[in-house]
Amino acid sequence: MAATKLIAMHQNKGRSVMRCLKDRTDYAMNGEKTDEGKYISSYQCNPELVDLEFAQAKKEYLHKTWRQPKGDVIAYQIRQSFKPGEITPEEANKVGYETGMRFTKGKHAFIVATHVDRAHIHNHIIFNSTNLECDRKFRDFWFSGIALQRLSDIICLEHGFSVIPKVKPSERQRRTKYPERVSMRDVIREDILKCLDQKPADFEELLKLLQAEGYEIKRGKHTAVCGKEQKRFIRFRSLGEDFTEENLKKVIAGEKELPERNEKVPERKEAKPEKRKFDLVVDIQEKMAQGKNGGYVRWAKKYNVKQFAESILFLQQHDIHDKETLDALVDGSSAKYHELMKTIKDAEEKMAANKVIKTHIINYAKTRETYIAYRKSGYSKKFYEAHRDEITLHKAAKEAFSKLPDGKIPKVKDLNEEFARLLSEKKAAYSEYKKIKKRNAGLSDSEAKCGILLCCSAELGHRGRHEKETAAGEVSIRAIIKNDVTPKS
C-alpha cells in the first residue's frame, strides 16, 4: 500500500539553481535517513554530483533551444509512502526505482532515496525537469497526481503489495497513529534525573556527572549542555521550570523533591513484513457474510471458473503437468529475472558513470583557460564571482578525475565506444527481461491458483449441495486438463 504525491520543486528567490538543487538533494540523501546511503539508487546520474549534472543539463537545454523557461520549476519530486510493516527498505527502493522509470519513461535522470527514520518507510524520487537529450522539459499535465497513484498501485500489485482501496469520504478512517518520538530535551531531562539519583554534593558535581555521560558543558550567565547528537547547546532554563539551575540546586540541597519522571516512550521495534495474501479468486463465503446478493454469487462463481481456466490453459501451453514442475519453473524463471535485472542495473550504473566522466572531460576542456586566468589573478574574489559557474565546473571535474582508479583520464572516443557497447547489452537484456517478466506473471498466478485447487480437492467431502457444486466444477476443470478442451467464457 503506497500513498503518492507529485511535487514541483521551485527555485528560491536569491539563490542559484545549483544551490537550490543541492539543498533538496542533500535532504533526500541524508545519511541518517537512508542508513548512511545504503538505500539510494539513481538512473543516468551520479548521486554524489546530481545537483551539478541537473544544472548542467539546464544549461545545455538553453544552449540547444535558446528557449528561456517560463516558470521557475527546476525539478520534480515524487513522495511514495508505504504502510508500516508491509515492506522492507530494499523492496521499497526497488518499487521507487521502477515507479520513477515508468513515470518518466526513462527520459529523465532521477535519484531514489528511501528513508527509514520514520515508522513508515517512504521514498523521495527526484527527477530533473530537463530530459536526457536536453531538448525538452517535463510537462506537468492535468490530473498527473491521479495517473501517478494508478501507476504506483499497478507496480505495488505486480510486486505483491496491497493498494489503498477507494472508499467514500464518510467511510474513511483516521490515519495510522505512530508512536511519539523522544525529543532531545526529554533525553537530557532523563539523564539529569539519573545523575540526581547518584546524590551529587553540589551543582558543580552534577555537571561533572553529566560530562561523564558524554555531555559538553558551557558555563556563563546561563549554563548550557550539548550532547553527542546535538548541534547546539541547550540551556537548563529551557528544559522546564523544574530543571532550572535554581531549582536543581534546591533539589540537591534537599529543599525540593525530585521532578516527576515522564512515562517512557516505548522503543520502536523493527516492523516485520505482513504475510501477503493472494487476491486471485473471489472468496464467495466472505462476500455472502458481507451481505452480497445471489446475483453477485453467480457472477463470482463464473469469475472463479474463468480464472482457473485461464491458468490451466497457461499450464498446457508451457507443458506443465504437476505442481513440482511448476515450482521448479517458477524458481528458475525468478532467478533469471533477478539476474537480468542486475545486468540492466549494472549497465545503467556504468553508463551513468561513463556519461559523468565524459561531461567532466568536456567541462574541463571548456573551462581550462578560465581557470588558468583565475590562478594568474592570484585567486581574486572579484574574478571568482564573475566566473563562478566555470570555476565550479572546473573544480568538480578535477575532483572527479582524482577519484579515477588508475588516475588516467580516458579519451572521449573510448568512452563513446564503451557507452555504445553498454547500451547494446542493456537493450538485449531488457528485451529478454520483458519476456521473462510477462512469463513470471502468468507463472505466479498459475502457481497460486494451482495451490488453491489442491487445497480445495483435499478438503472436499460430503457437506451438502454447495460442496457438490464445487466438486463438479473441479472435475470439469480437470477434464479440461486431460482432454485439452478450451473452456467457454
Side-chain angles (χ1 to χ4, degrees), residues 370-388 391 395:
T370 304
Y371 193 79
I372 291 173
Y374 171 60
R375 201 166 51 187
K376 288 180 179 179
S377 68
Y379 301 101
S380 169
K381 290 184 179 180
K382 186 177 179 180
F383 188 92
Y384 177 80
E385 291 298 331
H387 304 83
R388 178 190 291 269
I391 294 171
K395 287 182 177 180

Side-chain angles (χ1 to χ4, degrees), residues 195-207 209 252-253:
C195 293
L196 289 174
D197 290 339
Q198 300 179 31
K199 305 296 181 182
D202 51 18
F203 187 71
E204 286 298 324
E205 188 174 345
L206 174 64
L207 296 180
L209 292 174
I252 294 171

Side-chain angles (χ1 to χ4, degrees), residues 115-375:
H115 288 191
V116 295
D117 60 325
R118 300 295 180 96
H120 64 289
I121 296 172
H122 57 282
N123 288 328
H124 288 258
I125 308 167
I126 301 177
F127 63 90
N128 195 359
S129 58
T130 308
N131 67 353
L132 294 173
E133 301 297 329
C134 301
D135 57 355
R136 289 183 181 275
K137 294 271 190 174
F138 177 82
R139 186 173 181 179
D140 191 5
F141 51 90
W142 286 100
F143 304 110
S144 57
I146 297 175
L148 174 63
Q149 183 62 56
R150 289 180 179 174
L151 174 63
S152 177
D153 288 346
I154 291 171
I155 295 172
C156 286
L157 288 173
E158 289 176 357
H159 286 78
F161 301 114
S162 61
V163 297
I164 301 174
K166 293 182 179 180
V167 294
K168 297 178 181 179
S170 59
E171 298 176 356
R172 291 175 183 170
Q173 298 178 353
R174 291 184 179 181
R175 59 170 292 174
T176 307
K177 292 184 178 180
Y178 301 119
E180 296 181 4
R181 298 185 66 187
V182 181
S183 67
M184 186 56 65
R185 282 178 168 78
D186 291 332
V187 175
I188 296 173
R189 292 189 197 102
E190 187 68 25
D191 289 338
I192 291 174
L193 291 175
K194 289 180 182 178
C195 293
L196 289 174
D197 290 339
Q198 300 179 31
K199 305 296 181 182
D202 51 18
F203 187 71
E204 286 298 324
E205 188 174 345
L206 174 64
L207 296 180
K208 290 180 181 179
L209 292 174
L210 286 173
Q211 284 180 328
E213 291 288 335
Y215 286 93
E216 186 180 349
I217 308 297
K218 184 172 75 172
R219 291 174 172 80
K221 183 178 179 181
H222 302 287
T223 308
V225 293
C226 180
K228 293 180 180 179
E229 299 179 359
Q230 290 177 238
K231 294 182 180 179
R232 297 181 179 179
F233 282 88
I234 295 178
R235 294 175 179 177
F236 279 96
R237 66 175 187 172
S238 68
L239 298 175
E241 186 65 27
D242 294 332
F243 292 88
T244 60
E245 296 180 46
E246 294 78 10
N247 287 332
L248 287 175
K249 290 177 181 178
K250 290 180 182 180
V251 171
I252 294 171
E255 299 175 5
K256 191 175 180 180
E257 294 183 358
L258 280 170
E260 294 183 0
R261 293 177 182 268
N262 292 329
E263 294 183 2
K264 187 177 180 181
V265 179
E267 296 180 0
R268 184 181 299 167
K269 297 181 180 179
E270 186 177 352
K272 295 182 179 179
E274 295 179 354
K275 190 174 181 181
R276 301 174 193 165
K277 297 180 180 179
F278 289 104
D279 189 19
L280 303 170
V281 295
V282 179
D283 190 339
I284 298 176
Q285 297 299 323
E286 182 182 352
K287 296 297 182 181
M288 289 177 65
Q290 294 176 3
K292 296 294 184 180
N293 56 19
Y296 181 87
V297 172
R298 287 192 294 273
W299 171 85
K301 288 180 180 178
K302 290 182 180 179
Y303 175 81
N304 288 348
V305 170
K306 286 182 180 180
Q307 292 295 307
F308 287 124
E310 289 176 4
S311 179
I312 291 165
L313 288 176
F314 181 86
L315 296 176
Q316 290 176 352
Q317 291 172 1
H318 292 83
D319 196 24
I320 301 171
H321 302 287
D322 51 36
K323 194 170 186 304
E324 289 73 18
T325 306
L326 177 61
D327 290 340
L329 191 60
V330 168
D331 294 339
S333 184
S334 178
K336 183 66 175 176
Y337 172 84
H338 291 297
E339 182 183 347
L340 288 171
M341 190 67 182
K342 186 176 182 301
T343 302
I344 293 170
K345 201 164 185 179
D346 290 344
E348 288 175 350
E349 290 177 356
K350 291 178 181 178
M351 289 167 66
N354 180 296
K355 189 174 181 181
V356 169
I357 292 297
K358 187 165 65 175
T359 303
H360 283 312
I361 292 173
I362 295 171
N363 290 341
Y364 184 87
K366 288 181 178 179
T367 60
R368 186 169 177 270
E369 297 297 330
T370 304
Y371 193 79
I372 291 173
Y374 171 60
R375 201 166 51 187

Side-chain angles (χ1 to χ4, degrees), residues 21-42 45-52 54 77 93 110-115 123-126:
L21 286 169
K22 183 171 178 58
D23 290 343
R24 274 65 177 281
T25 54
D26 282 354
Y27 173 79
M29 298 187 295
N30 189 344
E32 296 179 359
K33 299 176 181 291
T34 59
D35 195 6
E36 302 302 329
K38 182 179 178 182
Y39 304 119
I40 296 176
S41 57
S42 63
C45 63
N46 186 349
E48 296 179 359
L49 303 170
V50 63
D51 53 329
L52 293 172
F54 281 16
Q77 178 182 186
N93 194 267
F110 63 84
I111 60 169
V112 183
T114 304
H115 288 191
N123 288 328
H124 288 258
I125 308 167
I126 301 177

Side-chain angles (χ1 to χ4, degrees), residues 452-486:
I452 295 171
L453 275 173
L454 293 175
C455 292
C456 292
S457 62
E459 294 179 0
L460 279 176
H462 303 285
R463 296 183 183 177
R465 181 180 177 184
H466 176 71
E467 284 75 6
K468 290 180 181 178
E469 290 178 358
T470 307
E474 184 182 357
V475 169
S476 64
I477 290 173
R478 287 183 176 178
I480 294 171
I481 300 176
K482 292 181 180 179
N483 301 327
D484 194 13
V485 179
T486 304

